[in-house]
Amino acid sequence: MATLCPVAPLHREANASRLQITSVKTLAESSDLTSIPSHYAFTTSASGDQAVHSDHDDSIPVIDFSLLSSSNPDQRRKVVSDLAKACQDWGFFMVINHGVPESQMKAMVDMLTGFFDLTEEEKKEFEWKNVLDPIRFGTSFNASVEKVFFWRDYLKVRVHPKFHCPTKPEGFSEVLAEYSGAVRKLARELLKGISESLGLEPDYIGQAMNMDSSLQILTANLYPPCPQPELAMGMPPHSDHGLLTILMQNGIGGLQVHHGGKWVMIDPVPNAFLVNTGDHLEIMSNGKYKSVLHRAVVNNNSTRMSIVVSNGPSPDTVVTPAEQLVDGENNRAVYTGMKYKDFLELQQSSVLDGKSGLDRVKI
Ligand code: OGA
Ligand code: NI
């Protein structure tokens, strides 16, 4: 797989002061921008890194969520087996008939557009200081440790077990509470199907991961138009830290998934959710369901927004492989236990880099 190489390494001190100044949005809106500043330019090793369209015979799996609540046991069995296949073969799937009203999804996009449209002065109030702050407005991933920045602004909000929300724009908290609540329910139901697909009791994950207090974080990613999209990167290849990530976007594509040794472009489908398995599902399933690398590329004509909800265990849960999936002989536990919030703190404090978070708990 290609590695990203910084063209213009910079000192940390310089990064820290730049953090105070520029969001990508402000930069992109400066009228004379025809090329990107050097601290946004990556080179990718040329071969094998271009993304492809998905193959007709092997396209991203589609899960019909309505069948999970079917009273017909055959239908439920079928969707549980679809989930097993999706988690094993792709680690990414599309969910349709999910029951979250289109109006709620649209309201969330509109509200977050309103947030990013606040003045820089207003947004400054929400700028992050520590990686575990409940509300974090920022740019790139962790600009205090990066040499080259990603073409991305973001807002991260912890919405569960304790609900937080920026005080602006007006009405934000109602929309956010409703949307994140609906997505949390969806995640919990999917995790029931996934538990069953692993041969466990439906609420195994719910209970073992203390999902009544699950840590849920909503991230809004803003990728403004970029004059040299081939040099910039929206988000580098990474896996997500939680159990399940649930993503929607504003109709503009840019997400790519690493599948079958290639980067596959995922085209946006209106009103569907994209779901991917995270590092903690890999840990609890003892590697049966692996978290999958994905990245976001940028384009030169439209602003893309993705709204990404990470659904994890409760912050204090020490996650270990499920006992039922481990035996002394052939199937030893290959991950050691770590408290979810400690894993998160380490991952968020570092440069975002592939699956490096998981390497810390591999035995
Ligand atoms: C993320 C992520 C991809 C995208 O926020 O973790 O992978 O398409 N985003 O914005
Ligand atoms: Ni991600």
Side-chain angles (χ1 to χ4, degrees), residues 86-97:
C87 291
Q88 223 153 14
D89 296 352
W90 274 78
F92 248 92
F93 51 92
M94 194 179 294
V95 176
I96 57 167
N97 298 327

mmCIF file with all atom_site columns, all heavy atoms in Angstrom, residues 86-97:
data_model
loop_
_atom_site.group_PDB
_atom_site.id
_atom_site.type_symbol
_atom_site.label_atom_id
_atom_site.label_alt_id
_atom_site.label_comp_id
_atom_site.label_asym_id
_atom_site.label_entity_id
_atom_site.label_seq_id
_atom_site.pdbx_PDB_ins_code
_atom_site.Cartn_x
_atom_site.Cartn_y
_atom_site.Cartn_z
_atom_site.occupancy
_atom_site.B_iso_or_equiv
_atom_site.pdbx_formal_charge
_atom_site.auth_seq_id
_atom_site.auth_comp_id
_atom_site.auth_asym_id
_atom_site.auth_atom_id
_atom_site.pdbx_PDB_model_num
ATOM 1  N N   . ALA A 1 86 ? -20.764 -9.459  5.172  1.00 0.00 ? 86 ALA A N   1
ATOM 2  C CA  . ALA A 1 86 ? -20.345 -8.059  4.974  1.00 0.00 ? 86 ALA A CA  1
ATOM 3  C C   . ALA A 1 86 ? -19.189 -7.710  5.904  1.00 0.00 ? 86 ALA A C   1
ATOM 4  O O   . ALA A 1 86 ? -18.220 -7.061  5.509  1.00 0.00 ? 86 ALA A O   1
ATOM 5  C CB  . ALA A 1 86 ? -21.531 -7.124  5.218  1.00 0.00 ? 86 ALA A CB  1
ATOM 6  N N   . CYS A 1 87 ? -19.296 -8.158  7.163  1.00 0.00 ? 87 CYS A N   1
ATOM 7  C CA  . CYS A 1 87 ? -18.242 -7.828  8.136  1.00 0.00 ? 87 CYS A CA  1
ATOM 8  C C   . CYS A 1 87 ? -16.946 -8.562  7.800  1.00 0.00 ? 87 CYS A C   1
ATOM 9  O O   . CYS A 1 87 ? -15.858 -8.041  7.988  1.00 0.00 ? 87 CYS A O   1
ATOM 10 C CB  . CYS A 1 87 ? -18.682 -8.191  9.551  1.00 0.00 ? 87 CYS A CB  1
ATOM 11 S SG  . CYS A 1 87 ? -20.001 -7.154  10.188 1.00 0.00 ? 87 CYS A SG  1
ATOM 12 N N   . GLN A 1 88 ? -17.092 -9.761  7.295  1.00 0.00 ? 88 GLN A N   1
ATOM 13 C CA  . GLN A 1 88 ? -15.895 -10.553 7.027  1.00 0.00 ? 88 GLN A CA  1
ATOM 14 C C   . GLN A 1 88 ? -15.225 -10.163 5.707  1.00 0.00 ? 88 GLN A C   1
ATOM 15 O O   . GLN A 1 88 ? -14.014 -10.016 5.644  1.00 0.00 ? 88 GLN A O   1
ATOM 16 C CB  . GLN A 1 88 ? -16.252 -12.035 6.987  1.00 0.00 ? 88 GLN A CB  1
ATOM 17 C CG  . GLN A 1 88 ? -15.244 -12.854 7.721  1.00 0.00 ? 88 GLN A CG  1
ATOM 18 C CD  . GLN A 1 88 ? -15.839 -14.142 8.256  1.00 0.00 ? 88 GLN A CD  1
ATOM 19 O OE1 . GLN A 1 88 ? -16.932 -14.558 7.875  1.00 0.00 ? 88 GLN A OE1 1
ATOM 20 N NE2 . GLN A 1 88 ? -15.119 -14.787 9.149  1.00 0.00 ? 88 GLN A NE2 1
ATOM 21 N N   . ASP A 1 89 ? -16.034 -9.972  4.675  1.00 0.00 ? 89 ASP A N   1
ATOM 22 C CA  . ASP A 1 89 ? -15.459 -9.725  3.346  1.00 0.00 ? 89 ASP A CA  1
ATOM 23 C C   . ASP A 1 89 ? -15.054 -8.266  3.125  1.00 0.00 ? 89 ASP A C   1
ATOM 24 O O   . ASP A 1 89 ? -14.110 -7.989  2.402  1.00 0.00 ? 89 ASP A O   1
ATOM 25 C CB  . ASP A 1 89 ? -16.469 -10.088 2.246  1.00 0.00 ? 89 ASP A CB  1
ATOM 26 C CG  . ASP A 1 89 ? -16.804 -11.565 2.247  1.00 0.00 ? 89 ASP A CG  1
ATOM 27 O OD1 . ASP A 1 89 ? -16.145 -12.311 2.996  1.00 0.00 ? 89 ASP A OD1 1
ATOM 28 O OD2 . ASP A 1 89 ? -17.731 -11.960 1.524  1.00 0.00 ? 89 ASP A OD2 1
ATOM 29 N N   . TRP A 1 90 ? -15.835 -7.347  3.678  1.00 0.00 ? 90 TRP A N   1
ATOM 30 C CA  . TRP A 1 90 ? -15.597 -5.930  3.378  1.00 0.00 ? 90 TRP A CA  1
ATOM 31 C C   . TRP A 1 90 ? -15.284 -5.091  4.621  1.00 0.00 ? 90 TRP A C   1
ATOM 32 O O   . TRP A 1 90 ? -14.503 -4.143  4.539  1.00 0.00 ? 90 TRP A O   1
ATOM 33 C CB  . TRP A 1 90 ? -16.843 -5.316  2.702  1.00 0.00 ? 90 TRP A CB  1
ATOM 34 C CG  . TRP A 1 90 ? -16.902 -5.484  1.226  1.00 0.00 ? 90 TRP A CG  1
ATOM 35 C CD1 . TRP A 1 90 ? -17.256 -6.610  0.549  1.00 0.00 ? 90 TRP A CD1 1
ATOM 36 C CD2 . TRP A 1 90 ? -16.604 -4.495  0.224  1.00 0.00 ? 90 TRP A CD2 1
ATOM 37 N NE1 . TRP A 1 90 ? -17.210 -6.369  -0.815 1.00 0.00 ? 90 TRP A NE1 1
ATOM 38 C CE2 . TRP A 1 90 ? -16.809 -5.074  -1.029 1.00 0.00 ? 90 TRP A CE2 1
ATOM 39 C CE3 . TRP A 1 90 ? -16.197 -3.149  0.274  1.00 0.00 ? 90 TRP A CE3 1
ATOM 40 C CZ2 . TRP A 1 90 ? -16.618 -4.388  -2.231 1.00 0.00 ? 90 TRP A CZ2 1
ATOM 41 C CZ3 . TRP A 1 90 ? -16.009 -2.465  -0.912 1.00 0.00 ? 90 TRP A CZ3 1
ATOM 42 C CH2 . TRP A 1 90 ? -16.210 -3.089  -2.143 1.00 0.00 ? 90 TRP A CH2 1
ATOM 43 N N   . GLY A 1 91 ? -15.972 -5.365  5.729  1.00 0.00 ? 91 GLY A N   1
ATOM 44 C CA  . GLY A 1 91 ? -15.884 -4.459  6.889  1.00 0.00 ? 91 GLY A CA  1
ATOM 45 C C   . GLY A 1 91 ? -16.589 -3.149  6.631  1.00 0.00 ? 91 GLY A C   1
ATOM 46 O O   . GLY A 1 91 ? -16.488 -2.199  7.424  1.00 0.00 ? 91 GLY A O   1
ATOM 47 N N   . PHE A 1 92 ? -17.277 -3.068  5.502  1.00 0.00 ? 92 PHE A N   1
ATOM 48 C CA  . PHE A 1 92 ? -18.010 -1.861  5.098  1.00 0.00 ? 92 PHE A CA  1
ATOM 49 C C   . PHE A 1 92 ? -19.306 -2.319  4.462  1.00 0.00 ? 92 PHE A C   1
ATOM 50 O O   . PHE A 1 92 ? -19.297 -3.256  3.657  1.00 0.00 ? 92 PHE A O   1
ATOM 51 C CB  . PHE A 1 92 ? -17.215 -1.097  4.020  1.00 0.00 ? 92 PHE A CB  1
ATOM 52 C CG  . PHE A 1 92 ? -16.689 0.218   4.493  1.00 0.00 ? 92 PHE A CG  1
ATOM 53 C CD1 . PHE A 1 92 ? -15.434 0.303   5.042  1.00 0.00 ? 92 PHE A CD1 1
ATOM 54 C CD2 . PHE A 1 92 ? -17.448 1.386   4.365  1.00 0.00 ? 92 PHE A CD2 1
ATOM 55 C CE1 . PHE A 1 92 ? -14.928 1.518   5.481  1.00 0.00 ? 92 PHE A CE1 1
ATOM 56 C CE2 . PHE A 1 92 ? -16.954 2.607   4.801  1.00 0.00 ? 92 PHE A CE2 1
ATOM 57 C CZ  . PHE A 1 92 ? -15.693 2.678   5.358  1.00 0.00 ? 92 PHE A CZ  1
ATOM 58 N N   . PHE A 1 93 ? -20.412 -1.699  4.795  1.00 0.00 ? 93 PHE A N   1
ATOM 59 C CA  . PHE A 1 93 ? -21.649 -2.032  4.091  1.00 0.00 ? 93 PHE A CA  1
ATOM 60 C C   . PHE A 1 93 ? -22.589 -0.843  4.089  1.00 0.00 ? 93 PHE A C   1
ATOM 61 O O   . PHE A 1 93 ? -22.413 0.110   4.854  1.00 0.00 ? 93 PHE A O   1
ATOM 62 C CB  . PHE A 1 93 ? -22.315 -3.279  4.691  1.00 0.00 ? 93 PHE A CB  1
ATOM 63 C CG  . PHE A 1 93 ? -22.505 -3.269  6.186  1.00 0.00 ? 93 PHE A CG  1
ATOM 64 C CD1 . PHE A 1 93 ? -23.675 -2.800  6.759  1.00 0.00 ? 93 PHE A CD1 1
ATOM 65 C CD2 . PHE A 1 93 ? -21.505 -3.757  7.036  1.00 0.00 ? 93 PHE A CD2 1
ATOM 66 C CE1 . PHE A 1 93 ? -23.857 -2.807  8.141  1.00 0.00 ? 93 PHE A CE1 1
ATOM 67 C CE2 . PHE A 1 93 ? -21.677 -3.765  8.427  1.00 0.00 ? 93 PHE A CE2 1
ATOM 68 C CZ  . PHE A 1 93 ? -22.857 -3.291  8.973  1.00 0.00 ? 93 PHE A CZ  1
ATOM 69 N N   . MET A 1 94 ? -23.535 -0.899  3.163  1.00 0.00 ? 94 MET A N   1
ATOM 70 C CA  . MET A 1 94 ? -24.528 0.153   3.051  1.00 0.00 ? 94 MET A CA  1
ATOM 71 C C   . MET A 1 94 ? -25.786 -0.325  3.754  1.00 0.00 ? 94 MET A C   1
ATOM 72 O O   . MET A 1 94 ? -26.124 -1.507  3.644  1.00 0.00 ? 94 MET A O   1
ATOM 73 C CB  . MET A 1 94 ? -24.785 0.385   1.562  1.00 0.00 ? 94 MET A CB  1
ATOM 74 C CG  . MET A 1 94 ? -25.532 1.648   1.281  1.00 0.00 ? 94 MET A CG  1
ATOM 75 S SD  . MET A 1 94 ? -25.743 1.842   -0.482 1.00 0.00 ? 94 MET A SD  1
ATOM 76 C CE  . MET A 1 94 ? -24.077 2.062   -1.032 1.00 0.00 ? 94 MET A CE  1
ATOM 77 N N   . VAL A 1 95 ? -26.440 0.564   4.487  1.00 0.00 ? 95 VAL A N   1
ATOM 78 C CA  . VAL A 1 95 ? -27.668 0.172   5.167  1.00 0.00 ? 95 VAL A CA  1
ATOM 79 C C   . VAL A 1 95 ? -28.837 0.953   4.569  1.00 0.00 ? 95 VAL A C   1
ATOM 80 O O   . VAL A 1 95 ? -28.815 2.193   4.540  1.00 0.00 ? 95 VAL A O   1
ATOM 81 C CB  . VAL A 1 95 ? -27.577 0.427   6.683  1.00 0.00 ? 95 VAL A CB  1
ATOM 82 C CG1 . VAL A 1 95 ? -28.905 0.116   7.365  1.00 0.00 ? 95 VAL A CG1 1
ATOM 83 C CG2 . VAL A 1 95 ? -26.481 -0.434  7.297  1.00 0.00 ? 95 VAL A CG2 1
ATOM 84 N N   . ILE A 1 96 ? -29.821 0.212   4.090  1.00 0.00 ? 96 ILE A N   1
ATOM 85 C CA  . ILE A 1 96 ? -31.029 0.846   3.541  1.00 0.00 ? 96 ILE A CA  1
ATOM 86 C C   . ILE A 1 96 ? -32.227 0.482   4.428  1.00 0.00 ? 96 ILE A C   1
ATOM 87 O O   . ILE A 1 96 ? -32.128 -0.413  5.266  1.00 0.00 ? 96 ILE A O   1
ATOM 88 C CB  . ILE A 1 96 ? -31.295 0.405   2.084  1.00 0.00 ? 96 ILE A CB  1
ATOM 89 C CG1 . ILE A 1 96 ? -31.408 -1.124  1.995  1.00 0.00 ? 96 ILE A CG1 1
ATOM 90 C CG2 . ILE A 1 96 ? -30.171 0.911   1.168  1.00 0.00 ? 96 ILE A CG2 1
ATOM 91 C CD1 . ILE A 1 96 ? -31.979 -1.609  0.672  1.00 0.00 ? 96 ILE A CD1 1
ATOM 92 N N   . ASN A 1 97 ? -33.313 1.195   4.228  1.00 0.00 ? 97 ASN A N   1
ATOM 93 C CA  . ASN A 1 97 ? -34.523 0.989   5.067  1.00 0.00 ? 97 ASN A CA  1
ATOM 94 C C   . ASN A 1 97 ? -34.175 1.028   6.549  1.00 0.00 ? 97 ASN A C   1
ATOM 95 O O   . ASN A 1 97 ? -34.626 0.188   7.325  1.00 0.00 ? 97 ASN A O   1
ATOM 96 C CB  . ASN A 1 97 ? -35.213 -0.330  4.718  1.00 0.00 ? 97 ASN A CB  1
ATOM 97 C CG  . ASN A 1 97 ? -35.692 -0.347  3.282  1.00 0.00 ? 97 ASN A CG  1
ATOM 98 O OD1 . ASN A 1 97 ? -36.070 0.699   2.741  1.00 0.00 ? 97 ASN A OD1 1
ATOM 99 N ND2 . ASN A 1 97 ? -35.651 -1.501  2.644  1.00 0.00 ? 97 ASN A ND2 1
#
